[in-house]
Every structure is written in C-alpha cells, then in structure tokens.
Amino acid sequence: QGAERFKQLAEKYTNGKVKVEVYPNSQLYKDKEEVEALQLGAVQMLAPSLAKFGPLGVKEFEVFDLPYILPDKAALGRITKGPIGKSLLAKLEPKGITGLAYWDNGFKIMTANKPMHKVADFQGLKMRIQSSKVLEAEMRALGAIPQVLAFSEVYQAMQTGVVDGNENTPSNVYTQKMHEVQKH
C-alpha cells in the first residue's frame, strides 16, 4: 500500500512526467539480486530489508537484526530519524545507493506449527532466516537450525516442511499468508 501511495503521489506531483511501476513480492529479483539490480540501475528504487546491507559491506546495519535491542517503536523512530539513522544511510552512498528513509514493517516475530514460548521450544527447529550473521547466531543460540531462504520461497518451504518456521515481520506474515501454513 505504501509503494502504491508513493506511485500515486510521484505521478501526481510530476504531472505524469515520472511513471512508477511497482513490483512487489520479489516479482523481478530474488533476495540476493535486488540490491545488485539497484546498484546497476536495473531498478531505481527498493524497499529492502535492512539485513540486505550487511552482506553489501555495511555491517553497521546488522544492529537492526539484534533481538530486543530496542524496547519499542518510539525508540526505533528516535534512532532511524535521528543522527544515527542518517549516518547509517550515508554509509550506503559509497556503494552507489542513496538511502531516502526507513520503512518500518514492525518488529520481527517467529512463526511455527508449534508454540514457541521458551528457548527450549526452538530446539532442533529449522527456522528460515534472511542472510544475516546476526540472525544465524540468534537461531543457533536458541538451539534452532538456521536456513537461509529467499523471501519468495518461504511460503512453499513452510508448506512442504523444508523449514519448520521463520522469523519475519507481522506485515509479511499477513500479506504472504504464512498463517495458512503456520499455526503459531
């Protein structure tokens, strides 16, 4: 909805001189390809997960993968809208990327077909993660087995049992209908 609203406003305020095409849900590129496509000019704008910038060489963005480091959305807003957030976006410029803003998708949650209330509940679960050393370490610390999968492959992987669960944002769980294949 946010991307569609951006499209509407960009076309309106440029009197139609700018045409915006929205391709959601990894329609054009998989996870590892999308940032490269941006750098090469194949696409002009992305709304990627911040975890994509660690492998690009801007490791400071991995701080956002740390669980429970921020107590609430107000603290997140103070960080992303303040000097720290601006300095992080500036670190993308040498990579050929201009960071415009942070797009809040909500704090991550875990899904699986069994309740996960304590650390022991994660023991042996194959949990899908994005490519992130921090997320990998988190899952291993929980006793889970991290599985790096592209976003576009998560639903089917959960449906077929390739993975037992995943960590994702509530908006992604809802829009990708992960609740259809995950009970908890």
Side-chain angles (χ1 to χ4, degrees):
Q1 288 176 344
E4 289 296 335
R5 181 70 171 146
F6 173 82
K7 169 186 169 62
Q8 177 188 28
L9 293 173
E11 291 175 356
K12 174 183 173 185
Y13 289 114
T14 63
N15 294 319
K17 292 178 186 170
V18 170
K19 183 175 178 356
V20 177
E21 296 176 3
V22 177
Y23 296 94
N25 303 320
S26 304
Q27 286 179 0
L28 293 180
Y29 300 99
K30 301 281 187 215
D31 283 0
K32 292 182 181 181
E33 302 166 339
E34 68 179 357
V35 173
E36 183 178 330
L38 179 66
Q39 290 175 302
L40 295 172
V43 294
Q44 291 73 46
M45 185 177 255
L46 290 177
S49 166
L50 297 176
K52 301 273 188 334
F53 299 132
L56 187 64
V58 189
K59 301 284 185 195
E60 294 88 342
F61 277 96
E62 291 178 346
V63 71
F64 292 106
D65 287 338
L66 290 167
Y68 310 111
I69 193 165
L70 297 169
D72 52 38
K73 285 190 175 198
L76 175 63
R78 287 190 302 276
I79 297 295
T80 57
K81 293 175 184 168
I84 293 172
K86 288 180 177 74
S87 72
L88 285 171
L89 291 178
K91 290 180 180 291
L92 296 172
E93 291 179 18
K95 305 294 181 187
I97 297 171
T98 302
L100 300 177
Y102 294 87
W103 194 329
D104 179 15
N105 257 1
F107 290 115
K108 293 182 182 172
I109 61 171
M110 309 287 185
T111 69
N113 280 321
K114 67 176 231 172
M116 295 173 293
H117 298 292
K118 54 190 181 290
V119 171
D121 296 336
F122 286 84
Q123 189 65 43
L125 287 182
K126 294 176 288 185
M127 295 292 287
R128 179 273 176 176
I129 61 168
Q130 302 178 77
S131 181
S132 164
K133 297 293 183 195
V134 173
L135 294 175
E136 184 178 331
E138 173 190 17
M139 289 301 157
R140 290 194 191 288
L142 289 169
I145 304 160
Q147 305 287 308
V148 176
L149 285 175
F151 180 68
S152 60
E153 299 170 8
V154 176
Y155 182 94
Q156 185 176 13
M158 291 188 301
Q159 185 178 43
T160 59
V162 170
V163 296
D164 300 310
N166 98 118
E167 60 85 42
N168 227 308
T169 60
S171 61
N172 284 343
V173 170
Y174 176 75
T175 62
Q176 301 308 301
K177 300 181 180 181
M178 294 175 187
H179 55 277
E180 294 177 351
V181 293
Q182 300 274 269
K183 294 177 185 166
H184 299 276

